[in-house]
């Protein structure tokens, strides 16, 4: 299976310059190709679309014209062709969902380039990663890298850190003993996860924990932007403004790191402890647009949990089942009696049929588990297909 490994790079000043050159070149080629594409179809929309292969054929000419492109690793420029062709393909097949590809700017938050691994040019040896044109770089990712590295994306984050994401193909599985245990998980806002076993994992609002620091830099970003404007300095050249912006980005990065670290630990524990894990299928993309911050943050974590469980289950040889959450919070998990819709404020209730006392979330988690295992007590819609 394919999966990603992300880590931090420690670069020497010369290597930093080389990485920035590569990022700039990839952006330059993207913008050149995009401009050409726009002109071509502006003149004659009926022309056949350009594919990755056509774009690659234009690279040598472009390199002759702009000598600095030769400083780049050539696979990183081919990758640009592939990405642009892919972006257009998506746009033409689903115009409602995908936007027309746009030009990349020097000051965009995301600055990166991707190198493909050809002839073992990208490899990992004892804590060092070899990258084309850059050489060996200290790489910290907290794990040993097994399997084949397919490609590497080197990225400069808004907080000023160089990161590298590797795409790795690895068929080996982590050997774990089977526990013969299964679990249903109800995901919520106040409690991030409630298990059918009765365990509750509360939501930790890392954004609130760091809100003081964030506010401190938020204010400075705004004030320094005003000052720069008063002095007629463009924001891209206003050094103090840029510094404050980087500090603010660092706070956001820390927040994200803390959240992801916890989610990784929680999901790994789940995969180790249970053989079958049942989740409810939630439309998280809609919820992420929710104006309530708590709900949108929760939705983001739910999505991340599902992605993590999906690949970790494959890696650990466990099973993940995703079910439709229809009526899971109103049916009694003991006798199957439908108690009807209940207000969200009711956290506990008594079944009018069998008189069992239920915690709302634990009852829902139990129902999710029984739907997943195909042991539903009442008529339920069919479980959704297994993810992925
Ligand atoms: Zn009951």
């Amino acid at each position: 299976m394919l999966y990603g490994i992300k880590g931090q790079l420690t670069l020497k000043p010369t290597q930093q310059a080389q990485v920035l050159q590569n990022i700039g070149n990839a952006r330059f080629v993207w913008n050149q190709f995009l401009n050409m594409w726009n002109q071509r179809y502006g003149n004659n929309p009926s022309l056949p679309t350009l594919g990755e292969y056509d774009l690659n054929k234009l690279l040598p000419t472009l390199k002759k014209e702009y000598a600095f492109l030769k400083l780049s690793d050539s696979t990183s420029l081919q990758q640009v062709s592939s990405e642009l062709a892919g972006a257009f393909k998506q746009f033409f097949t689903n115009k409602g969902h995908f936007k027309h590809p746009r030009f990349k700017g020097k000051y965009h938050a995301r600055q990166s380039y991707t190198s493909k691994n050809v002839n073992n040019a990208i490899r990992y040896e004892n804590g060092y990663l070899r990258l084309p044109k850059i050489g060996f770089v200290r790489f910290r990712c907290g794990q040993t890298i097994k399997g084949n590295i397919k490609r590497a994306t080197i990225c400069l984050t808004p907080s000023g850190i160089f990161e590298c994401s590797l795409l790795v193909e690895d068929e080996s599985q982590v050997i774990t003993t089977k526990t013969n245990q299964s679990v249903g998980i109800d995901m919520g806002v106040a409690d991030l996860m409630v298990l059918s076993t009765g365990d509750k994992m509360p939501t930790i609002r890392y954004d609130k924990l760091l809100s003081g620091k964030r506010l401190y830099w938020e204010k400075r970003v705004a004030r320094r932007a005003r000052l720069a404007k008063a002095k007629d300095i463009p924001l891209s050249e206003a050094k103090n403004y840029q510094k404050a912006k980087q500090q603010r980005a660092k706070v956001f990065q820390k927040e994200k790191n803390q959240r992801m670290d916890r989610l990784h630990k929680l999901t790994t524990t789940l995969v180790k402890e249970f053989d079958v894990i049942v989740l409810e299928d939630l439309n998280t993309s809609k919820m992420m647009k929710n104006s309530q911050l708590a709900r949108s943050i929760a939705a983001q974590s739910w999505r991340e949990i599902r992605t993590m469980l999906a690949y970790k289950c494959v890696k650990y040889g466990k099973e993940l089942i995703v079910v439709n959450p229809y009526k899971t919070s109103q049916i009694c998990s003991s006798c199957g009696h439908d108690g009807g819709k209940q207000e969200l404020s009711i956290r506990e209730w008594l079944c009018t049929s069998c008189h069992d006392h239920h915690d709302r979330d634990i009852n829902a988690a139990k129902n999710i588990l029984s739907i997943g295992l195909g042991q539903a007590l009442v008529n339920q819609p069919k479980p959704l297909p297994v993810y992925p």
Side-chain angles (χ1 to χ4, degrees):
M1 67 182 279
L2 290 170
Y3 61 96
I5 293 176
K6 200 185 219 176
Q8 241 184 59
L9 298 171
T10 313
L11 299 167
K12 293 173 194 161
T14 49
Q15 292 173 324
Q16 279 192 16
Q18 177 71 48
V19 166
L20 292 175
Q21 176 81 51
N22 283 9
I23 290 175
N25 286 359
R27 180 178 60 235
F28 179 82
V29 171
W30 172 280
N31 288 343
Q32 286 281 325
F33 281 170
L34 180 56
N35 183 34
M36 203 176 64
W37 191 301
N38 290 345
Q39 281 178 357
R40 186 176 148 100
Y41 293 102
N43 294 337
N44 186 358
S46 61
L47 286 171
T49 52
L50 290 171
E52 179 186 347
Y53 180 72
D54 306 306
L55 293 175
N56 275 341
K57 275 201 297 192
L58 300 169
L59 278 173
T61 339
L62 213 56
K63 275 187 191 173
K64 255 180 214 159
E65 203 173 329
Y66 304 99
F68 58 86
L69 292 180
K70 286 180 191 154
L71 297 169
S72 256
D73 152 41
S74 61
T75 65
S76 72
L77 303 182
Q78 288 160 12
Q79 180 67 22
V80 174
S81 315
S82 153
E83 281 167 16
L84 185 65
F88 267 111
K89 202 176 169 189
Q90 280 182 327
F91 170 68
F92 285 123
T93 45
N94 189 353
K95 280 193 180 175
H97 191 72
F98 294 102
K99 284 180 185 158
H100 190 281
R102 285 186 291 183
F103 290 105
K104 288 182 196 260
K106 195 176 177 182
Y107 300 103
H108 283 185
R110 191 176 159 73
Q111 296 289 338
S112 71
Y113 77 94
T114 300
S115 284
K116 289 188 244 185
N117 193 1
V118 180
N119 292 331
N120 214 16
I122 303 173
R123 58 181 183 272
Y124 181 76
E125 287 171 17
N126 307 322
Y128 285 83
L129 190 68
R130 192 200 176 274
L131 295 167
K133 294 268 182 184
I134 291 168
F136 282 94
V137 182
R138 180 95 177 92
F139 180 61
R140 287 176 297 152
C141 63
Q143 55 188 308
T144 46
I145 298 168
K146 284 183 269 174
N148 295 322
I149 299 173
K150 306 290 269 185
R151 52 176 196 247
T153 300
I154 293 93
C155 166
L156 173 62
T157 66
S159 49
I161 289 165
F162 287 93
E163 281 183 346
C164 180
S165 310
L166 298 173
L167 182 72
V168 179
E169 189 177 33
D170 181 22
E171 298 305 330
S172 69
Q173 274 194 342
V174 180
I175 314 287
T176 44
T177 41
K178 294 276 174 197
T179 55
N180 289 321
Q181 299 290 315
S182 42
V183 71
I185 302 172
D186 176 63
M187 293 192 279
V189 177
D191 283 310
L192 180 64
M193 285 193 270
V194 175
L195 308 188
S196 54
T197 54
D199 286 336
K200 291 186 174 184
M201 287 139 186
T203 298
I204 300 178
R205 288 288 297 271
Y206 293 106
D207 60 318
K208 277 191 186 167
L209 295 178
L210 286 169
S211 63
K213 263 191 183 169
R214 201 182 53 233
L215 195 67
Y216 179 92
W217 286 111
E218 209 77 86
K219 277 183 190 164
R220 273 150 189 81
V221 168
R223 188 190 307 150
R224 289 174 191 183
R226 273 202 308 276
L227 274 173
K229 212 179 168 190
K231 287 182 190 166
D232 246 355
I233 306 169
L235 285 183
S236 58
E237 282 161 31
K239 278 193 179 156
N240 287 329
Y241 165 80
Q242 291 295 343
K243 271 185 215 162
K245 222 175 114 184
Q246 199 175 66
Q247 289 301 324
R248 184 183 61 180
K250 274 187 184 170
V251 180
F252 278 119
Q253 185 70 48
K254 191 177 176 74
E255 206 177 290
K256 190 184 173 192
N257 290 351
Q258 287 178 332
R259 193 183 76 238
M260 292 300 269
D261 178 58
R262 176 153 182 264
L263 295 184
H264 271 298
K265 282 173 183 160
L266 288 177
T267 49
T268 304
T269 316
L270 284 172
V271 169
K272 280 183 181 164
E273 278 180 14
F274 300 99
D275 287 355
V276 179
I277 297 167
V278 189
L279 283 186
E280 49 188 331
D281 187 38
L282 299 165
N283 188 349
T284 46
S285 52
K286 254 188 198 168
M287 289 183 198
M288 276 160 82
K289 287 177 193 149
N290 196 302
S291 55
Q292 255 182 300
L293 187 62
R295 279 201 83 75
S296 64
I297 288 177
Q300 175 138 22
S301 295
W302 301 338
R303 176 177 277 200
E304 275 150 5
I305 287 169
R306 181 167 159 172
T307 316
M308 285 176 188
L309 284 176
Y311 80 83
K312 285 182 185 177
C313 278
V314 176
K315 201 173 165 186
Y316 285 76
K318 304 293 178 90
E319 193 183 356
L320 177 70
I321 301 172
V322 180
V323 301
N324 191 331
Y326 179 69
K327 282 192 177 180
T328 44
S329 55
Q330 63 190 62
I331 286 167
C332 166
S333 58
S334 316
C335 70
H337 174 73
D338 186 345
K341 260 208 167 158
Q342 279 158 354
E343 291 288 318
L344 257 173
S345 56
I346 299 169
R347 306 312 305 168
E348 293 171 35
W349 52 283
L350 219 68
C351 174
T352 49
S353 175
C354 71
H355 305 292
D356 255 5
H357 180 254
H358 290 300
D359 174 292
R360 182 194 177 95
D361 298 329
I362 297 173
N363 180 60
K366 283 179 181 167
N367 283 328
I368 288 165
L369 176 63
S370 58
I371 302 171
L373 298 180
Q375 297 165 349
L377 295 160
V378 281
N379 288 336
Q380 297 281 357
K382 269 192 182 168
L384 294 169
V386 178
Y387 181 86

